[in-house]
């Protein structure tokens, strides 16, 4: 059974230095609030897993939380590079960042394998790509029936999965809809899980065959309205494309990045405080 | 028809859009491919099924998505599936007719690099990486690639092969038993390159109006093969241009509106 | 794009003698009408694939349509044995029936592999079971990362998949909800597919993340209201438990089975005729 | 408490229901296991999560389902998933606390047969087969088995091992690295058998009221081990009996109502 707790308590109790942590959400429902709380609590040496490390991982990496990244596409969607990710990979700032790089198909298979209790994910993948040359975790096996050569990747098995969803009920059952990415797989593959939600309601009102995480596979449910900002929560608010574009400026330079994190994330006590701080700053421009 | 002016990017997008067969199931990368696919949907190919790796099947966006998972994609789709299902059942399952990719670098056999410029372990420029591209390139029945042509992008040797085209040419792709037949055209701002039927080397087979062959050669980092009978790409029609510009204006307005 | 056609045309055009055919539906949405049409058109030497061969496969087997059965549980759910299946396996009546027998987990993995374009399905399965001793299509492979031993089963790749769903729209997009079994996998694994539906509507009105088969993965959509009888279609009608119980009597004896099939299936021209025939018979008892 | 009469089947179902820990995620086979699980849900274990292989998680049926996929299961469930997801993510994923199985035959190491009586290729009786049982037996953290005890069912040697209990006893299950620890009790109409901690041989550890040990021995096709201190199962309480009978009456009414 999930506990319904404050986000700072959930991160304090469930995310530990050195953990393998997957914050998932494919463009939609990205758990920004939870990522910020990990920065505030200054977790270190995390292995960050995510198919599409975008702005939230840029922030975690720039803030020095990570020592390793497992991923398949790292960019600011529709904008360009992630400058903090590049600075860590290219110049080891603020700390060296080891990378394990996949293709999306491999990461998706690895999450599904993790959720399925299998040691590896199987795919027709990486054919002709140089990725297996730089990633020893891409291997090849033979089909025992046809002799075909297929790719294998180790299952993703995070210590903690963190996702954002639209709704939970008071028992901690979680409902999400729209683009659901690999969120269900991440939670089911992980040892522990945190779900932030837009709303806590009496009755989920889930349509048939909806994507539901039953309360007994979740550790903590945290009520954080707007917690996916600047990404979006379908049915609640749209993607803040302007934020993503502005991030390109903020993150380009180490000093402006650090000032931003210090002021808006470390200088606030929770996500509501972060949102007020961002709005104030915008008002003064 | 009256003379119309247009940019080389517009010519590229329109030429790429024209390659989309109506009714095809189309796996779309973000950026140039997405613009071309959405243009096709609004001109000659209204029954095209747009599929984005974020999980949307049959998306019908009214503006160009900024990200591969904009809300409008899932709100307008016929079906929204999880990302593991998208890659397993739809892409790997062999359901996709046409993959539409961009690239940072391409070589003469249409292999592409979206991973790194320079050495992988000491990168000069770290690019976003593979995303869905290696399996789009491998599994779609056919692949189109669109990017701007210059000799930083069209290189003799890739720094990294992210996604395979025809590997070392000839039958080297067939020997690895790829499910799909590979790239059938590379559409640039200068012309259209297609693989030689035997050697699989990219050959300039169509040149956009007003572009000199010599300029295309200079923009290519290898000795470019040019077809004996070189087509000239039909210029954008007024209709194509107006639909594209309308789409881009609406897109700019929609994306500026959120702050 | 799916064609919207009569069921007898769909079976005529898409189901051929000797085909591998999967009629799926896990208790719910079992395509009885389509099964009857296959009997009426006297298809022969079919390899029938189905996780839970129940009354519809008992009818197909008893009517002599099948020469091989791939399955994981063969019974009359909640009632007992399938007498026609047993008679075929035990006494080769009306024809010998070869069987390839799996566990549910293996069949589910085999369908998912088929839908995924993989040559085999991977699972932690068949551990300690005698099934691999009698089924050479259960093999074992080693994990290339951990060395663990895992089971492998060949992908199911039917020539034709046949399923029943609640709704289609006029373009042939299909919506189903409730227990969806392996229907989506069966259709995506198959070369050709037939979907019978309760209703054809202007707009599917599918909720987010619903189970939808887009028209371009389906060959034929056929409007057959009640076509899952005596199984059920959630939102339309309940399972007819009495029919399942009565089937035990009808099917126990070769002659009573043959008389029943001749009168109610072969003696009628379509599923509506079958339903009337059954009701008349009930009225005269 | 007043004297209550009850049948041996009622005693079996009630004794089996009592083994269910409140709050457990319970993978339920149809028939006797389903009756026991539903009784547990209505007595001491209201927070039990009933999971049927048809895809329903957290089903709350008001009557006993006739099939493993009755409509009421999916209409009352917290979540309904596809069958491949059920077997991959939920069962194989290690999410299930307790599997609840029936059987046609069982041996002293709690291996079970639901496949065939006689030779596999020349069967005397062809049974329904494995269904979900082999992986339920392998992957649930713990397994309960319930069936009526007689020497056609409790046999010295199984005709076919469909689903593994403790194989040949001792550490033979551990050596094959099963994810789950295996059967912890077999509940019959005569008593309760539990595996010896070392040899894993099923041992009669509780006998139902009014049953003689000799009768249990006679109903067992191998020399039955009996615990030194043999418990007597607590008889059904009036509450347990009334809940069970009420459930069965409602079930009979509901299933008769459809014709």
């Amino acid at each position: 059974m999930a506990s319904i707790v404050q986000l700072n308590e959930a991160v304090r109790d469930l995310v530990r230095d050195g953990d393998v942590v997957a914050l998932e959400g494919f463009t939609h429902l990205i758990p920004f609030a939870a990522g910020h709380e990990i920065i505030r609590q200054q977790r270190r040496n995390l292995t960050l897993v995510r198919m599409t490390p975008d702005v939230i991982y840029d922030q975690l990496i720039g803030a020095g939380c990570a020592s390793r990244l497992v991923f398949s596409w790292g960019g600011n969607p529709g904008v360009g590079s992630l400058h903090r990710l590049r600075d860590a990979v290219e110049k080891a700032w603020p700390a060296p960042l080891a990378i394990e790089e996949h293709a999306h198909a491999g990461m998706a298979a690895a999450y599904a394998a993790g959720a399925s209790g299998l040691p590896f994910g199987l795919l027709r993948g990486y054919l002709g790509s140089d990725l297996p040359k730089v990633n020893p975790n891409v291997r090849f096996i033979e089909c025992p029936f046809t002799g075909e050569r297929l790719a294998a990747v180790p299952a993703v098995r995070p210590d903690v999965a963190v996702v954002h969803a639209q709704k939970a009920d008071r028992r901690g059952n979680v409902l999400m809809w729209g683009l659901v990415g690999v969120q269900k797989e991440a939670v089911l593959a992980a040892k522990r899980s945190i779900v932030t939600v837009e709303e806590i309601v009496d009755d989920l009102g889930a349509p048939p065959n909806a994507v539901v995480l039953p309360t007994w596979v979740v550790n903590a449910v945290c009520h954080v309205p707007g917690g996916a900002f600047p990404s979006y929560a379908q049915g609640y608010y749209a993607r803040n494309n302007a934020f993503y574009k502005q991030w390109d400026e903020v993150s380009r330079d180490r000093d402006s990045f650090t000032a931003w994190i210090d002021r808006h994330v470390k200088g606030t006590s929770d996500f509501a405080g972060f949102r007020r701080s961002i709005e104030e700053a915008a008002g003064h421009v | 028809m009256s003379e119309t002016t247009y940019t080389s990017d517009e010519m590229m997008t329109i030429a790429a859009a024209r390659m989309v067969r109506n009714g095809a199931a189309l796996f779309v990368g973000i950026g140039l491919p997405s613009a071309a696919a959405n243009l096709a949907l609004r001109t000659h190919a209204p029954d095209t099924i747009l599929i984005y790796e974020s999980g949307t099947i049959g998306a019908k966006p009214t503006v160009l998505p900024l990200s591969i998972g904009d809300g409008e994609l899932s709100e307008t789709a016929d079906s929204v599936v999880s990302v593991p299902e998208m890659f397993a059942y739809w892409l790997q399952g062999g359901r996709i007719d046409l993959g539409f990719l961009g690239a940072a670098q391409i070589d003469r056999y249409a292999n592409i690099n979206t991973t790194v410029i320079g050495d992988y372990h000491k990168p000069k420029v770290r690019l976003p990486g593979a995303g869905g591209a290696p399996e789009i390139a491998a599994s779609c029945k056919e692949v189109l690639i669109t990017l701007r042509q210059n000799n930083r992008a069209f290189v003799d040797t890739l720094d990294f092969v992210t996604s395979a085209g025809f590997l070392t040419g000839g039958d080297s792709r067939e020997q690895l038993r790829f499910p799909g037949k590979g790239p059938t055209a590379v559409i640039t701002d200068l012309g259209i390159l297609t693989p030689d039927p035997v050697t699989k080397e990219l050959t300039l087979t169509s040149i956009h109006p007003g572009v000199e062959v010599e300029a295309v050669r200079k923009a290519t980092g290898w000795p470019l093969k040019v077809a004996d009978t070189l087509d000239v790409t039909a210029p954008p029609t007024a209709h194509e241009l107006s639909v594209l510009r309308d789409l881009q204006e609406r897109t700019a307005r929609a994306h500026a509106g959120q702050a």
Side-chain angles (χ1 to χ4, degrees), chain A, chain B:
Chain A
M1 292 280 292
S3 307
I4 298 182
V5 296
Q6 295 296 311
L7 178 57
N8 59 356
E9 294 170 59
V11 169
R12 186 192 66 208
D13 294 347
L14 296 169
V15 184
R16 297 159 198 168
D17 284 356
D19 269 357
V20 176
V21 183
L23 287 82
E24 273 297 349
F26 203 96
T27 313
H28 180 217
L29 295 175
I30 299 177
F32 270 89
H36 284 183
E37 192 54 36
I38 292 171
I39 293 172
R40 272 188 209 102
Q41 296 194 23
Q42 300 190 49
R43 289 293 177 279
R44 287 292 176 270
N45 293 315
L46 301 178
T47 290
L48 293 177
V49 183
R50 186 172 158 78
M51 292 185 68
T52 55
D54 56 6
V55 170
I56 186 62
Y57 271 33
D58 214 36
Q59 294 175 355
L60 282 155
I61 290 164
C65 299
S67 58
R68 189 158 177 269
L69 176 67
V70 181
F71 77 110
S72 43
W73 191 89
N76 183 343
V79 179
S81 287
L82 291 176
H83 302 295
R84 297 298 97 223
L85 168 57
R86 281 185 55 181
D87 205 12
V89 172
E90 296 169 14
K91 309 217 172 89
W93 191 92
L97 184 73
I99 60 173
E100 174 176 334
E101 184 164 7
H102 286 275
H104 277 352
M107 287 287 285
Y111 270 113
S116 302
L118 290 172
F120 73 97
L122 179 72
L123 69 156
R124 243 181 234 287
Y126 298 100
L127 259 181
S129 171
D130 281 345
L131 282 167
K133 296 182 188 166
V134 297
N135 182 350
N137 269 342
V138 178
R139 299 189 186 168
F140 293 89
I141 64 166
E142 255 188 26
C143 171
F145 300 97
T146 64
E148 284 169 279
R149 191 164 170 267
L150 298 160
V153 290
V156 168
R157 295 255 195 209
D159 294 305
V160 198
V162 182
V163 302
H164 186 76
Q166 281 103 335
K167 285 185 189 178
D169 67 20
R170 298 189 196 288
R171 302 181 61 232
N173 296 298
V174 171
L175 171 67
M176 62 180 78
W177 67 86
L179 298 177
V180 295
V182 293
Q183 284 102 299
K184 185 174 195 171
E185 287 75 13
V187 167
L188 292 179
K191 298 189 187 82
R192 305 185 289 279
S193 60
I194 298 172
V195 184
T196 56
V197 294
E198 292 296 329
E199 281 194 274
I200 297 186
V201 296
D202 289 330
D203 181 354
L204 285 182
N209 308 98
V211 179
V212 169
L213 297 169
T215 179
W216 51 281
V217 302
V218 176
N219 293 80
V221 168
C222 310
H223 184 211
V224 189
F229 169 92
S231 85
Y232 70 106
Q234 193 171 324
Y236 292 81
Y237 46 92
R239 191 169 191 269
N240 192 302
N241 288 322
F243 185 99
Y244 280 88
K245 288 176 184 164
Q246 286 155 12
W247 184 251
D248 194 64
E249 274 310 302
V250 169
S251 63
R252 202 172 277 273
D253 176 86
R254 290 176 187 173
D255 291 341
S256 69
F257 165 79
T258 305
W260 191 93
I261 283 283
D262 284 350
R263 175 174 177 187
H264 299 302
V265 179
K266 294 185 180 171
T268 57
S269 61
D270 60 15
F271 202 66
F274 162 78
R275 294 294 296 274
R276 283 193 302 274
S277 170
I278 288 283
E279 277 157 31
E280 279 168 27
H284 291 300
V285 169
Chain B
M1 199 174 99
S2 68
E3 195 71 0
T4 324
T5 61
Y6 54 86
T7 67
S8 60
D9 267 13
E10 286 172 336
M11 181 72 252
M12 170 170 59
T13 303
I14 288 166
R18 289 173 186 160
M19 312 288 273
V20 174
R21 181 175 55 74
N22 191 25
L26 187 56
F27 208 100
V28 194
I30 211 68
L32 296 176
S34 179
N38 277 281
L39 177 59
L41 190 72
R42 279 166 190 74
T43 50
H44 68 287
D47 299 323
T48 304
I49 300 139
L50 295 190
I51 299 170
Y52 288 84
E53 65 193 18
S54 56
T56 57
I57 296 172
K60 291 166 271 293
T62 58
V63 302
L64 295 175
L66 185 69
S67 80
I68 205 130
D70 279 18
E72 206 190 9
L73 298 177
S74 74
E75 283 159 13
T76 60
D78 294 325
S79 177
V80 178
V81 303
S82 74
V83 165
E85 177 177 326
M86 177 56 76
F87 280 94
Y89 289 3
W90 298 88
L91 181 57
Q92 185 175 268
R95 291 279 166 191
I96 314 295
D97 298 308
L98 189 59
F100 214 146
L101 295 172
Q105 284 187 334
I106 188 165
D107 71 12
R108 75 191 67 190
Y109 295 117
N111 303 298
I112 64 180
N113 175 16
T114 55
T115 300
V116 73
I117 306 295
D119 181 70
Y120 182 81
H121 298 284
K122 303 251 178 232
K124 246 184 281 180
V125 182
R126 176 63 234 196
L127 301 167
E135 286 72 30
I136 294 172
S139 291
C140 293
K141 288 172 193 159
E142 189 180 323
V143 175
L144 298 175
I145 301 169
T146 180
L147 76 168
R148 294 186 189 93
Q149 192 158 3
N150 60 61
N151 53 24
R152 293 182 314 284
F154 282 65
V155 297
D156 185 65
T157 307
L158 295 180
D159 290 327
F160 192 93
V161 178
T162 309
S163 307
F166 296 104
L167 301 164
T168 56
D171 66 351
S172 57
R173 182 179 170 103
E174 283 158 39
Q175 280 183 6
L176 281 189
R177 300 212 286 179
F178 281 67
K181 69 179 182 181
T184 49
V186 178
I187 304 98
T188 83
D189 49 347
L190 303 180
I192 300 171
L193 298 83
T194 55
D196 179 89
V198 176
T199 68
K200 303 298 182 187
E201 182 168 338
L202 288 177
T203 305
L204 183 68
T205 47
S206 188
I207 194 162
H208 297 334
V211 178
E212 298 294 330
V213 172
E214 197 44 37
V216 189
R217 287 194 205 275
K218 279 201 181 142
T220 307
W222 67 84
L224 179 66
K225 291 244 177 4
V226 178
D228 295 338
T229 52
L230 185 62
D231 290 333
V232 176
T233 313
T237 67
H239 179 64
E240 286 169 333
L241 269 180
S242 96
V243 173
L244 175 60
R245 287 171 183 174
D246 180 54
L247 182 61
Q248 284 172 331
E249 269 164 38
R250 271 184 291 124
T251 300
R253 266 202 310 278
H255 293 169
Q258 293 151 353

